[in-house]
Amino acid sequence: MTEAQTKTAPYKVGDRVEHGSLGHGTVVKIVAAGGQVCFDRFGQNVSFAHMENLSPSDEAKPSPIAANDNDLPFINPADWHGVPMPTREWFLDGLIPKRQV
């Protein structure tokens, strides 16, 4: 990279950077007027016109967490045998049930 290119684009796509208030992130796009960084804490891209607000980061990119990593409770419908069914609550009697989308 030449000195002129370094001044206009000090980072390349994939570089880890740090911002004072937004934290650590990864450069995802470089354009003539700045670039975009995906910050770990927010999970979204933020555009920067002036990338001098960023500094290089030594922190490694965090490992992705699977969305299905949570344990679901086990429900046994046989436990409901003999239990009376709760009465339905209505927002508008007989027309709109409460707590329904």
Side-chain angles (χ1 to χ4, degrees):
M1 212 182 258
T2 67
E3 187 177 332
Q5 288 173 323
T6 304
K7 286 184 180 178
T8 57
Y11 304 105
K12 62 184 184 301
V13 173
D15 283 353
R16 293 288 293 163
V17 294
E18 183 177 3
H19 186 272
S21 59
L22 299 174
H24 298 276
T26 304
V27 177
V28 293
K29 185 177 182 181
I30 298 290
V31 293
Q36 287 185 342
V37 176
C38 181
F39 287 98
D40 302 337
R41 192 168 50 177
F42 303 107
Q44 63 184 6
N45 296 349
V46 177
S47 296
F48 286 94
H50 305 287
M51 295 190 75
E52 62 265 5
N53 296 334
L54 303 172
S55 60
S57 174
D58 293 334
E59 184 177 292
K61 187 173 183 176
S63 301
I65 299 171
N68 61 353
D69 243 7
N70 52 355
D71 293 332
L72 295 176
F74 180 75
I75 298 173
N76 186 358
D79 294 341
W80 299 336
H81 181 70
V83 177
M85 185 176 9
T87 56
R88 173 170 267 176
E89 298 177 17
W90 295 93
F91 181 74
L92 187 58
D93 195 34
L95 190 58
I96 303 173
K98 280 189 179 178
R99 293 186 227 134
Q100 301 294 315
V101 177

